Amino acid sequence: MSPSELITLIIGIALTVMIFSYILGDRLFFGIATHLLIGVSAGFLALVVIQKIILPYLITPLTYETGTGFFLALVPLTLSILLVLMLFRSGTQAGSIPLAFLGGALAALAIIGVTRGTLAPQILSTIGRFAPEQLMHETEPQWSAILEALMILLGVIAVLFVFHHQGQSKAGDVVKPVFLEGIGSIGQIFIGLTFGALFVGLFSSALIALISSLSEIIDFITLWF
Amino acid sequence: MKRPLPLIVGVLSGLVVLAAMFFVPQGGSILATVLNWVIIVAGVALLVAIASLVLTHLRFIAKGKKGFLLSLVLVISFLATLIFGLLRGVDDPVFLEWVGAVIRPIETALLGLVALVMMSAALKIFRERGWSALTVSFGVSAIIFLILGLGFLQNLNFPALNEVITFVEGLPMIGARGLLIGIGIGLLMMAFRVLFGMEGSGND
Amino acid sequence: MPPDLLLLRDQQDRASLLASLIEQEGRVTAGKQPSRKPSGRAGRLAVALLLLIGLIVSILIGPAAIPPETPKSIPAIALSDQIQALAENDQVLIVLDYQAATSRELEALAAPLLEQLHTRGAELAILTTQPSGLFLAQTLLAQAGLPEDTQVDYLPGSYLSLISQAVNPGISTTGGNPVKDLRSFKLVLLVSDSSDSIRGWLEQIAPWIGTLNFAAVTTQMEAPVLSPYFDSGQLVGYAAGIADGNIGVQSTFNYRAYRVGLLLMLVMLLLGMISKGEADAIRREEERSE
């Protein structure tokens, strides 16, 4: 192990221990480590943005003496200046123009993207399970495929109903027929099943990270014995 | 009252992007230009946010506010990274190694800490939330996926059991699809509101 | 969960969604819950120490690799089949889009796949959409046994940089965009810890290029959200979770400790359910006696 590798290893172990001190109720070392993370991450992010976005996309075109490239670069330059003005109290209102530009463009992308990339394929996939070639094998009905298709359709409708139900219950307590309450409960069961899987997934990822951190500390200690 | 200029800019940028995507391939070059601007403006917005963060902590230090030592750690580490990176270049392997040596262990340990917090949350979740269709199915699902995660059942290698496992593993897909469609519809409505100038996209 | 622990992208959103849905549900059907004092720090400490001790003992016992016979999930098998179907010199775009926190999990999954792609003679173009990818890529490349001088380019704006190219192949890329021809790739492998980001690629790029296959390597927590995209055929496969990274060789990851952790969580959930059931029974008994 080279000296630089050893130093980075020691730094890593020290920082890991500082984070784990949170378990014992410590806030100082935990705070130092998290603020160090924020500081280094912010510095690194600023560097990457300057060198990989601002310089090649904004500054370089401005160095062109003539041509459309130069004039086109004036638009983001103006929007950027308005944004920078946000740092000063008097410029807060000017900053809303570039933010509105971002919001509008991203909203338009979302309309096309969500429609073509999520809503249409997901709805078609749910309906596509009822295609005759999926449900029949020669002349025999495939009961497992039929049940699966029905279950998925019912589940998706019930989950969407929960969304609707939530919006309504926010507006005020509305008494619903038993039938609708039943659909809502089915939707909640499917949402619960998904959240259960997500919960285990998050715990699993966190557990892998915890085992990796502990393994490094144990490996480091065993280095000296 | 919404101010007209940001509203006009927001609606206009949205309509230009929509038009460019409808009139393909002619609209391609306009789309490229507008999206380039989006990337630049988003980058500058990020820089402004970072500058604002650092300025806030500098103010904490200047005022000697409680916890200013932590602000000092943040500002010093920010400046050290920035100066080191400017001197060596952002692609320099030594610089990247040092940045990684700080960020990687802290982020990994923080995620590891989530596992510890989730353990105590698991003990309390039913006591605090009570029984309902959602919590019961959540609990049953979590228990089943934990058992599957252990891998013992899969290693038994019974074909019938494997079919049941495959079926159970597919169940969260149904809820996820419903959630995706629901969120997608919500997002679509929000996007239309922005485009019709009914929702603030920086204009309020 | 304390807010300062929810630093990771998506976790905060997911936690608040989960909390709000459970809270909403509690209001509708469960009736008013008796107010309880928050349990003490000692309890939390005991539970945390239990997990820590369990894991430390498991690690100290010695290395334990995942059993080679552990089967992969169906999406992971589909991903493997896609890679097998690639011919020599087929171009594959690898997009690294993960943070340092999840790097251990994703590297264990992605490194064997990259190695497999390299061995098959596929031409790899590697991009990172996250600044942290610039330093994380070094570790991944080393684990995959790829040459040290393999080029890893930063893609500013992620898929936003490629939309115009996807819409119109005649568009020349500007600035420092490293992708010159998106249509030349046979497969795009997204190594990401964010289902939102993967969804972004599937929504903004995939619909414009029907011939381009998308696959993902992701964390286990994102897998349920991606499953509908696999079912609809938008993703040709994905690998997520410990078992999907199993390639039948000795791994440095301690599988025994992982199992102990899962087992302890299982016990905690069951204890939580039992204690709630017991509390309900006592309350009912008290109500009856009154």
Side-chain angles (χ1 to χ4, degrees), chain A residues 22-23 44-45 109 116-118 121-122 125 129 166 169 188 195 198 201-205 207 210-211 216, chain C residues 2 18 21 24-25 41 45 55 104-105 131 160 203-204 207-208 220-221 228-229 231-232 234 258 265:
Chain A
Y22 180 87
I23 304 163
F44 184 61
L45 198 60
L109 285 178
R116 295 185 68 195
T118 292
Q122 293 306 317
S125 173
R129 284 185 177 264
Q166 260 207 315
S169 50
Q188 281 160 11
F195 280 153
L198 285 171
L202 174 58
F203 179 71
S204 174
S205 296
L207 189 61
L210 182 61
I211 293 169
E216 276 187 9
Chain C
L18 179 67
L21 273 164
Q24 189 73 20
E25 170 54 22
R41 249 176 43 79
L45 184 67
L55 296 182
R104 318 282 166 137
E105 185 178 2
L160 287 181
E203 286 179 350
Q204 302 295 348
W208 300 102
Q220 202 175 331
M221 65 180 158
Y229 291 103
D231 185 65
S232 63
Q234 290 167 278
Y258 176 74
M265 175 53 103

Side-chain angles (χ1 to χ4, degrees), chain A:
Chain A
M1 191 180 283
S2 69
S4 97
E5 280 175 342
L6 185 66
I7 293 168
T8 52
L9 181 67
I10 292 170
I11 290 172
I13 299 294
L15 292 170
T16 304
V17 173
M18 282 163 86
I19 292 292
F20 284 154
S21 69
Y22 180 87
I23 304 163
L24 300 170
D26 164 74
R27 292 291 178 272
L28 179 66
F29 289 110
F30 179 79
I32 290 173
T34 48
H35 281 74
L36 187 67
L37 171 70
I38 297 166
V40 173
S41 300
F44 184 61
L45 198 60
L47 262 177
V48 173
V49 170
I50 291 167
Q51 294 199 4
K52 304 278 184 185
I53 298 178
I54 306 298
L55 288 177
Y57 284 76
L58 182 64
I59 306 299
T60 309
L62 285 171
T63 57
Y64 305 152
E65 285 179 7
T66 51
T68 48
F70 173 80
F71 292 106
L72 286 175
L74 290 178
V75 178
L77 179 71
T78 312
L79 292 171
S80 302
I81 291 169
L82 291 174
L83 262 180
V84 173
L85 288 176
M86 276 181 89
L87 281 173
F88 311 100
R89 194 171 288 274
S90 58
T92 313
Q93 292 186 350
S96 59
I97 295 172
L99 292 182
F101 166 76
L102 279 182
L106 294 177
L109 285 178
I111 289 172
I112 304 282
V114 168
T115 314
R116 295 185 68 195
T118 292
L119 290 180
Q122 293 306 317
I123 293 169
L124 285 174
S125 173
T126 309
I127 298 167
R129 284 185 177 264
F130 290 93
E133 62 270 21
Q134 300 267 351
L135 303 181
M136 304 286 281
H137 181 66
E138 292 172 353
T139 53
E140 289 293 306
Q142 297 290 298
W143 291 109
S144 62
I146 293 169
L147 281 175
E148 200 179 344
L150 281 171
M151 194 173 71
I152 290 174
L153 183 67
L154 175 71
V156 170
I157 291 171
V159 171
L160 285 172
F161 179 81
V162 175
F163 264 84
H164 182 66
H165 172 86
Q166 260 207 315
Q168 279 195 342
S169 50
K170 270 178 198 162
D173 286 333
V174 183
V175 181
K176 290 190 180 61
V178 179
F179 164 69
L180 293 181
E181 286 289 349
I183 294 183
S185 296
I186 294 171
Q188 281 160 11
I189 290 171
F190 279 109
I191 293 177
L193 288 173
T194 307
F195 280 153
L198 285 171
F199 178 84
V200 175
L202 174 58
F203 179 71
S204 174
S205 296
L207 189 61
I208 292 168
L210 182 61
I211 293 169
S212 304
S213 296
L214 289 175
S215 297
E216 276 187 9
I217 295 173
I218 291 170
D219 289 346
F220 179 76
I221 293 169
T222 50
L223 260 183
W224 308 98
F225 296 104

Side-chain angles (χ1 to χ4, degrees), chain C residues 164-223:
Chain C
S164 51
Q165 209 189 104
V167 171
N168 182 356
I171 295 289
S172 61
T173 53
T174 51
N177 197 329
V179 179
K180 300 299 169 210
D181 182 13
L182 202 50
R183 282 168 172 78
S184 64
F185 294 104
K186 277 268 189 298
L187 178 73
V188 177
L189 183 64
L190 304 162
V191 185
S192 175
D193 58 5
S194 161
S195 55
D196 284 343
S197 175
I198 295 171
R199 207 176 70 207
W201 282 86
L202 296 177
E203 286 179 350
Q204 302 295 348
I205 306 294
W208 300 102
I209 313 174
T211 52
L212 195 54
N213 287 329
F214 283 82
V217 172
T218 189
T219 58
Q220 202 175 331
M221 65 180 158
E222 302 296 333

Side-chain angles (χ1 to χ4, degrees), chain B residues 104-123:
Chain B
R104 208 171 142 113
I106 300 180
E107 278 199 13
T108 309
L110 276 173
L111 183 57
L113 217 48
V114 171
L116 297 172
V117 177
M118 283 179 83
M119 284 281 282
S120 42
L123 202 56

Side-chain angles (χ1 to χ4, degrees), chain B residues 27-41:
Chain B
S29 55
I30 296 171
L31 190 65
T33 307
V34 175
L35 291 180
N36 254 354
W37 294 350
V38 167
I39 293 168
I40 296 166
V41 175

Side-chain angles (χ1 to χ4, degrees), chain C residues 210-276:
Chain C
T211 52
L212 195 54
N213 287 329
F214 283 82
V217 172
T218 189
T219 58
Q220 202 175 331
M221 65 180 158
E222 302 296 333
V225 187
L226 291 186
S227 55
Y229 291 103
F230 174 67
D231 185 65
S232 63
Q234 290 167 278
L235 275 177
V236 293
Y238 65 85
I242 289 288
D244 288 350
N246 177 23
I247 48 161
V249 293
Q250 278 293 321
S251 155
T252 49
F253 180 73
N254 197 306
Y255 189 56
R256 185 190 303 108
Y258 176 74
R259 276 178 160 175
V260 166
L262 290 186
L263 208 58
L264 285 172
M265 175 53 103
L266 187 63
V267 171
M268 287 299 147
L269 269 175
L270 286 172
L271 278 178
M273 283 179 155
I274 291 166
S275 71
K276 168 66 184 157

Side-chain angles (χ1 to χ4, degrees), chain B:
Chain B
M1 173 93 182
K2 288 167 185 170
R3 290 184 307 281
L5 193 57
L7 193 74
I8 293 167
V9 171
V11 172
L12 211 64
S13 70
L15 290 179
V16 167
V17 171
L18 266 186
M21 288 181 117
F22 272 114
F23 299 105
V24 202
Q26 294 87 343
S29 55
I30 296 171
L31 190 65
T33 307
V34 175
L35 291 180
N36 254 354
W37 294 350
V38 167
I39 293 168
I40 296 166
V41 175
V44 174
L46 204 61
L47 282 184
V48 169
I50 292 170
S52 170
L53 173 86
V54 175
L55 285 174
T56 307
H57 281 274
L58 279 174
R59 273 196 288 273
F60 287 170
I61 297 166
K63 287 179 185 167
K65 235 179 161 178
K66 191 187 168 198
F68 78 96
L69 274 175
L70 296 178
S71 299
L72 205 62
V73 171
L74 189 146
V75 173
I76 290 171
S77 56
F78 171 78
L79 290 175
T81 311
L82 201 64
I83 293 166
F84 190 16
L86 284 172
L87 292 175
R88 304 286 303 233
V90 79
D91 291 314
D92 179 68
V94 178
F95 171 65
L96 290 175
E97 192 186 336
W98 278 96
V99 171
V102 174
I103 293 178
R104 208 171 142 113
I106 300 180
E107 278 199 13
T108 309
L110 276 173
L111 183 57
L113 217 48
V114 171
L116 297 172
V117 177
M118 283 179 83
M119 284 281 282
S120 42
L123 202 56
K124 289 187 293 186
I125 190 162
F126 298 102
R127 255 187 299 163
E128 291 184 357
R129 301 293 181 196
W131 299 118
S132 66
L134 186 66
T135 53
V136 171
S137 58
F138 166 81
V140 170
S141 166
I143 286 171
I144 290 172
F145 280 99
L146 281 168
I147 293 170
L148 291 179
L150 289 169
F152 293 121
L153 293 178
Q154 290 90 326
N155 288 340
L156 290 175
N157 233 348
F158 283 132
L161 184 65
N162 287 345
E163 273 187 34
V164 173
I165 290 171
T166 307
F167 172 76
V168 169
E169 282 178 338
L171 283 177
M173 188 275 287
I174 302 170
R177 175 167 286 165
L179 289 170
L180 279 175
I181 294 173
I183 292 167
I185 292 170
L187 206 65
L188 208 59
M189 306 272 275
M190 174 67 91
F192 273 118
R193 285 176 66 84
V194 170
L195 273 192
F196 290 136
M198 292 153 72
E199 193 75 35
S201 59
N203 48 350
D204 283 323

